[in-house]
Amino acid sequence: MTFNSLENDFLIEGDLPDFEDDMNQQLPDEDLPEAISILALKNTVLFPGVVIPITVGRDKSIHLVKDAYYTEHRRIGVVTQKNTEVENPAPEDLYETGTIAKILKMIRMPDGTVTIVIQGRSKFQVEKYLTQEPYFKAQIHKIQDTTLEDEKVKAHMFHLKEKAYQIIDLSPNLPSEAKIALDNIDNLSFLINFISSNLNLEVEEKQAILEVVSLEEKSDLVLRHLNNELQVLEVSEEIQTRVRQDLDDQQREYILRQQIKAIQDELGEDGFQTEMEEFRTKAEGKTWSEEVQNIFDKELTRLSRLNPAMPEYAIVANYLERMLELPWENYAEENFKFKHVLEVLDEDHYGLEKVKDRILEQLAVLKLKADRKAPILCFYGPPGVGKTSLGKSIARALEKDFVRISLGGVHDEAEIRGHRKTYIGAMPGRIIQGLKRCDTSNPVFMLDEIDKVGNDHRGDPASALLEVLDPEQNNSFRDNFLEVEYDLSRIMFIATANTLSTIHPALLDRMEVIELNSYSLEEKMEIAKRHLIPQAKSDHGLSGKNLTISPAALRDIIEKYTREAGVRRLHQKISALCRGAAKEIVMHDKDQIRINTQNLKKFLGVPRFENERYKKVDAPGVAVGLAWTPVGGDILFIEATLTHGKGDLRLTGQLGDVMKESATLAYTYLRANCEKYGIPHEVFQHWNVHLHIPAGAIPKDGPSAGITMLTTLASLYTQRLVAADLAMTGEMTLRGKVLPVGGIKEKVLAAVRAGIKTLIMSRENEKDVSEIKASYLEGITFHYVEHADEVLKFALEGEKVAKPLNLLPPSTSSKEEKIKRIA
């Protein structure tokens, strides 16, 4: 809304438009002539009652004005052009609704143009144009707006003036006299026309207001335009306030920083320049590629142009610091002294002969390869068997830095690839952060718990690791933070996992898997004597003389107080003994504490575990199997009994689906081949069998109990005992073939601990037994079988029990037996 000027092709700058006092009243009803001269205007619309100055420049228009000015009434018709670009409009280029105007004053200008001041009187509608030369003349009829009730008139005037006042207050270019002009208007029609004339609207919108006949509709339309302009002014005022505040803050910050700079100059300090020089000095000592050097120089130049107060300055400075912290092309010298490597591995770890051989093989390959690309290994085994400590030993043996990151629970891909440096708080991925902690780019890098990597909506870290662990790609690994290639190919990556089933198949394919099995009792005792006991004594301030542990006590600790594949819990129990010994020495002034089987309970409490020992069973339907668990092997008793019924098979003991299928398979095989084993087929139709595996709270699954279940059922149906001191393991097929199973080492050692003397297993497992130390197998007899017939041949005794159960149904008994039973 403006009261300064009306911007159109003819309008000149002028003061606030005047209006006559009689315009507050209804304009007089004038008689219209039959024909009236028509003046075409550009970019403006004349409203009744409004006074505006106009500069007339076209020859036709000047001629028209001069002729009309010297008439009695000085009346002309004013209409607006539809298209302002037309210089000589035709009747079709003009709107049909216009305003009758009175020429109040005419001034001839030196340049030949004429300026007139006109006042709108009333609206008219053009009926037809009579002539176009020397100027337009038309036949018109007058248009009269509808009236309103006094109450509505007052309400409309109140709202219009209220909005206009608000606009005047928010517009710095409007004079305060504008409010006075509005206050002096008491006529609603003229108030609407006056406001419409001064609104910042397009010509089409003003023409639309002029053409509205209903005074109420016209008032509502103008009020909507006022609301729109008021909203624009309010938003503009808010923006201006915010900009002013920002400018004030920047000016204040600039002044303060100038003062700080002046103080630093006086004190001889220049923190910004000092930081830049530090970056340059550190970069000179770096060994990196030309590409990295160019990126560093570019970012350093960019940093020098930034204001230290800007947030972007901290981002760029952080990026440069991270680049300088990395080792880049600084590599440690390769150490291939295999004798030294083997000595270190033997010193730190007892046993693990196969693992050590595999590591030496990998190092030998690395020595012979010209590209120096390090192997990517994966140590796989149960918890506590020394996977992480073995990685540390490898680093120590090779005299390289050791870096370890834990991937357990990592769900975000950015943890591997890093974040974009433009984000606040961005940082590189864990691979680059790990290299930052060492001085070389070829350390031993351990990815711990790689089997526990998760994924969610933030990405799949396992997929990001594919590039890291791919020898064909990791020589140009690109971290999102660095945005430059980094060579990871000479890093010896060692991953650790407790299970392979949860590792991404493509990721597993990129790694050389080395399995670390659980320790045997003998290995645990050696580890305790060589490593755990000396370390625990040192940690608790004890010397070799202060505490001694007998071999029998150490065996009891392993068997009765721990049950694990590794030695972590064993270490904790030995530490508990050391704490108890330290207490006894300090409180009771003792010089030496001897731990034996008699006083072990005093220090460690009641034993938590009892190893399953073989106990001879004098009833048919019980066989001993071998099981693998995450904490080692164990023996497994399988029991069966018969009840009268229709030949149903019932299974209990919290068995998994695979184990249930093995039991069903053994039952079906025995039933199909019953005559071969001397079992009448009628037995299966009159007896139900219930097969149970004790320790029902523990879930059990797997196919390795197949031949044991067959032996149990065969013993029950033939009423022959299973041979004493015998256990077995193996999967069987529906045709009776015995298949190999896993976990042989753990199962065999569990059988030895339980006192088993004879073992039955698949012939294909013979190679697994050959890998076990011969000293562990003394006194054990192995039967390697290929078919179920061989299993039952070795497992069942030749004769039935003394009082066998009669399984034949009554219909097959002799007539004498029936009479005898009746008597």
Side-chain angles (χ1 to χ4, degrees):
M1 188 173 182
T2 176
F3 290 87
N4 286 356
S5 63
L6 296 172
E7 298 179 3
N8 58 76
D9 192 52
F10 305 111
L11 208 54
I12 63 173
E13 295 291 334
D15 297 330
L16 181 70
D18 297 327
F19 52 91
E20 297 179 353
D21 293 338
D22 62 349
M23 293 313 301
N24 284 324
Q25 308 298 326
Q26 183 66 34
L27 291 171
D29 191 6
E30 300 174 329
D31 294 332
L32 296 178
E34 294 181 358
I36 191 169
S37 303
I38 302 296
L39 176 65
L41 299 183
K42 287 184 180 180
N43 294 328
T44 190
V45 177
L46 177 65
F47 288 87
V50 177
V51 178
I52 61 173
I54 295 175
T55 297
V56 181
R58 286 188 288 225
D59 292 340
K60 279 186 176 183
S61 300
I62 293 173
H63 192 183
L64 182 152
V65 169
K66 288 180 179 180
D67 288 350
Y69 187 71
Y70 293 108
T71 62
E72 178 183 357
H73 298 291
R74 298 181 182 179
R75 290 183 302 194
I76 60 174
V78 178
V79 294
T80 302
Q81 289 182 208
K82 296 178 181 178
N83 189 352
T84 59
E85 296 180 358
V86 177
E87 185 61 31
N88 295 307
E92 58 269 16
D93 296 324
L94 305 176
Y95 287 106
E96 295 180 356
T97 302
T99 305
I100 298 174
K102 180 179 181 180
I103 303 175
L104 301 179
K105 192 172 183 179
M106 182 179 71
I107 303 173
R108 292 182 178 86
M109 306 302 291
D111 59 357
T113 61
V114 175
T115 298
I116 60 175
V117 179
I118 59 176
Q119 179 188 38
R121 305 296 290 181
S122 59
K123 290 193 300 183
F124 69 85
Q125 181 82 25
V126 176
E127 293 183 353
K128 66 178 179 178
Y129 284 91
L130 302 176
T131 63
Q132 298 186 31
E133 297 295 339
Y135 41 77
F136 291 119
K137 281 191 177 183
Q139 182 180 337
I140 63 172
H141 71 268
K142 191 175 180 181
I143 301 174
Q144 186 67 42
D145 291 344
T146 60
T147 59
L148 286 176
E149 300 173 359
D150 291 342
E151 292 77 6
K152 289 188 177 181
V153 169
K154 291 180 181 179
H156 280 278
M157 289 189 67
F158 172 78
H159 288 298
L160 289 169
K161 287 185 178 182
E162 184 68 22
K163 294 297 180 183
Y165 291 157
Q166 294 178 18
I167 292 174
I168 294 171
D169 291 336
L170 290 174
S171 301
N173 297 325
L174 293 181
S176 58
E177 292 81 1
K179 287 187 177 181
I180 300 175
L182 291 173
D183 287 337
N184 291 326
I185 299 175
D186 296 329
N187 182 273
L188 177 59
S189 178
F190 179 64
L191 178 63
I192 293 172
N193 293 334
F194 179 73
I195 293 174
S196 301
S197 179
N198 290 282
L199 278 172
N200 291 325
L201 299 176
E202 299 292 335
V203 172
E204 293 81 1
E205 294 176 315
K206 287 188 176 184
Q207 182 68 28
I209 295 174
L210 179 65
E211 292 176 358
V212 176
V213 176
S214 172
L215 192 61
E216 185 173 13
E217 292 180 7
K218 184 182 294 187
S219 176
D220 292 339
L221 180 58
V222 173
L223 192 60
R224 284 198 295 272
H225 287 303
L226 286 173
N227 281 327
N228 292 337
E229 185 160 350
L230 182 59
Q231 290 177 359
V232 172
L233 287 172
E234 288 174 346
V235 173
S236 177
E237 178 67 19
E238 182 181 348
I239 294 173
Q240 290 292 335
T241 302
R242 189 164 60 248
V243 170
R244 283 196 300 270
Q245 181 65 35
D246 292 342
L247 290 175
D248 292 343
D249 292 342
Q250 291 179 13
Q251 185 69 15
R252 177 176 176 273
E253 185 176 351
Y254 174 77
I255 293 173
L256 290 174
R257 291 200 174 277
Q258 289 298 112
Q259 293 175 349
I260 293 173
K261 186 176 183 300
I263 294 172
Q264 288 178 340
D265 292 341
E266 288 294 326
L267 295 175
E269 299 176 356
D270 193 349
F272 172 70
Q273 293 298 330
T274 302
E275 187 176 26
M276 297 290 292
E277 288 301 322
E278 287 180 357
F279 285 153
R280 290 192 182 93
T281 303
K282 290 180 180 179
E284 291 175 358
K286 282 292 177 182
T287 304
W288 49 26
S289 65
E290 183 178 353
E291 178 190 3
V292 179
Q293 181 68 53
N294 292 336
I295 292 175
F296 180 85
D297 292 340
K298 179 181 177 181
E299 293 295 325
L300 188 62
T301 303
R302 181 183 171 202
L303 182 69
S304 64
R305 296 174 181 172
L306 293 175
N307 186 335
M310 297 176 64
E312 193 173 359
Y313 179 90
I315 293 174
V316 177
N318 179 52
Y319 177 72
L320 293 175
E321 287 176 358
R322 293 292 181 269
M323 290 188 73
L324 292 171
E325 288 172 347
L326 291 172
W328 294 101
E329 296 182 7
N330 183 31
Y331 299 102
E333 184 179 354
E334 301 288 354
N335 176 22
F336 294 111
K337 301 175 182 178
F338 291 94
K339 184 178 180 181
H340 170 72
V341 172
L342 188 57
E343 288 176 355
V344 173
L345 294 178
D346 287 339
E347 180 182 340
D348 292 344
H349 292 82
Y350 173 79
L352 303 178
E353 302 301 333
K354 288 180 60 178
V355 177
K356 293 175 183 177
D357 289 341
R358 290 285 295 277
I359 293 172
L360 291 175
E361 290 170 2
Q362 292 289 355
L363 295 179
V365 172
L366 185 61
K367 181 178 180 179
L368 296 176
K369 285 173 63 179
D371 57 8
R372 298 297 189 189
K373 288 186 177 180
I376 298 173
L377 309 178
C378 178
F379 293 161
Y380 151 64
V385 295
K387 298 183 293 295
T388 303
S389 61
L390 187 58
K392 292 180 180 178
S393 296
I394 293 173
R396 189 165 76 90
L398 297 177
E399 298 178 355
K400 289 186 176 183
D401 293 330
F402 178 75
V403 182
R404 173 189 167 273
I405 63 172
S406 177
L407 299 178
V410 173
H411 287 77
D412 193 352
E413 181 186 352
E415 293 282 345
I416 307 300
R417 294 188 183 274
H419 304 82
R420 300 288 179 187
K421 67 175 182 290
T422 53
Y423 297 133
I424 300 298
M427 61 180 64
R430 293 197 179 192
I431 304 298
I432 299 298
Q433 288 189 58
L435 290 173
K436 186 183 70 175
R437 299 197 298 267
C438 57
D439 299 327
T440 59
S441 288
N442 59 338
V444 175
F445 203 116
M446 175 157 284
L447 304 173
D448 217 0
E449 311 293 353
I450 198 171
D451 57 323
K452 297 174 181 62
V453 174
N455 58 38
D456 58 12
H457 63 280
R458 290 170 290 185
D460 184 6
S463 299
L465 284 170
L466 293 177
E467 181 183 3
V468 176
L469 300 181
D470 190 342
E472 302 301 324
Q473 300 182 45
N474 63 6
N475 61 339
S476 57
F477 174 72
R478 185 176 288 270
D479 187 273
N480 290 334
F481 182 86
L482 290 180
E483 295 182 339
V484 64
E485 293 181 354
Y486 199 101
D487 187 3
L488 305 179
S489 62
R490 296 182 65 176
I491 298 175
M492 176 181 276
F493 284 105
I494 300 177
T496 68
N498 298 128
T499 177
L500 301 179
S501 60
T502 58
I503 301 178
H504 194 290
L507 187 61
L508 186 62
D509 185 59
R510 285 163 166 78
M511 299 184 293
E512 185 75 20
V513 178
I514 299 177
E515 184 177 3
L516 278 72
N517 295 315
S518 58
Y519 294 117
S520 65
L521 173 64
E522 292 75 12
E523 289 173 334
K524 289 182 179 180
M525 292 189 67
E526 285 298 324
I527 292 171
K529 292 176 183 177
R530 298 187 183 191
H531 302 285
L532 302 183
I533 295 176
Q535 181 183 348
K537 287 181 179 180
S538 175
D539 292 342
H540 294 82
L542 300 175
S543 64
K545 298 179 180 180
N546 294 136
L547 176 66
T548 57
I549 304 175
S550 68
L554 185 58
R555 178 183 290 270
D556 282 354
I557 295 173
I558 297 171
E559 291 184 338
K560 299 180 179 180
Y561 291 90
T562 65
R563 180 160 291 180
E564 58 180 344
V567 292
R568 192 168 291 153
R569 293 288 298 171
L570 177 59
H571 188 203
Q572 294 173 3
K573 294 301 179 183
I574 293 174
S575 297
L577 287 179
C578 292
R579 290 193 298 271
K583 175 184 173 183
E584 292 291 326
I585 292 172
V586 172
M587 295 184 65
H588 302 290
D589 296 329
K590 295 183 178 179
D591 296 330
Q592 188 176 23
I593 303 296
R594 292 184 176 86
I595 305 296
N596 51 43
T597 55
Q598 285 75 30
N599 61 1
L600 183 61
K601 188 182 297 186
K602 173 183 176 183
F603 291 93
L604 298 182
V606 178
R608 296 183 57 195
F609 305 103
E610 287 292 337
N611 279 340
E612 192 80 60
R613 299 289 298 179
Y614 174 78
K615 298 176 182 177
K616 187 175 181 181
V617 180
D618 294 330
V622 180
V624 180
L626 299 175
W628 179 93
T629 69
V631 297
D634 205 348
I635 64 172
L636 196 69
F637 286 91
I638 299 180
E639 307 170 346
T641 188
L642 294 172
T643 58
H644 288 286
K646 298 180 180 180
D648 297 332
L649 172 64
R650 186 179 182 187
L651 305 173
T652 56
Q654 201 172 162
L655 310 185
D657 292 338
V658 177
M659 206 166 193
K660 289 179 180 178
E661 291 175 359
S662 296
T664 304
L665 189 148
Y667 179 72
T668 302
Y669 173 81
L670 187 64
R671 188 167 181 174
N673 297 274
C674 59
E675 295 181 355
K676 182 195 298 187
Y677 303 117
I679 305 172
H681 64 84
E682 296 88 352
V683 172
F684 295 96
Q685 299 174 2
H686 297 278
W687 294 91
N688 294 336
V689 61
H690 184 163
L691 190 144
H692 176 71
I693 301 178
I698 302 174
K700 311 168 190 68
D701 205 358
S704 63
I707 63 173
T708 313
M709 292 178 176
L710 173 66
T711 302
T712 302
L713 295 174
S715 170
L716 183 64
Y717 281 109
T718 60
Q719 292 293 293
R720 295 157 62 187
L721 293 176
V722 176
D725 301 325
L726 179 141
M728 62 195 75
T729 182
E731 180 183 359
M732 67 171 290
T733 68
L734 196 58
R735 295 175 299 164
K737 185 176 180 181
V738 180
L739 302 180
V741 293
I744 293 299
K745 178 183 176 182
E746 289 80 4
K747 293 177 179 179
V748 170
L749 295 179
V752 173
R753 290 194 298 269
I756 300 295
K757 302 299 182 182
T758 305
L759 292 176
I760 300 174
M761 61 184 64
S762 171
R763 186 170 299 280
E764 295 181 39
N765 282 127
E766 186 175 1
K767 61 181 184 298
D768 300 308
V769 176
S770 65
E771 296 178 355
I772 305 174
K773 282 187 177 182
S775 59
Y776 297 160
L777 306 179
E778 293 179 0
I780 304 295
T781 301
F782 290 90
H783 295 298
Y784 300 108
V785 298
E786 296 179 353
H787 196 270
D789 294 345
E790 300 175 74
V791 174
L792 299 182
K793 173 184 175 183
F794 292 118
L796 299 181
E797 293 186 355
E799 300 295 332
K800 293 184 179 183
V801 294
K803 296 181 179 181
L805 181 65
N806 185 14
L807 304 180
L808 293 176
S811 59
T812 59
S813 302
S814 63
K815 185 177 180 181
E816 290 78 13
E817 290 176 339
K818 291 181 182 180
I819 296 172
K820 186 177 180 180
R821 278 201 302 274
I822 293 172

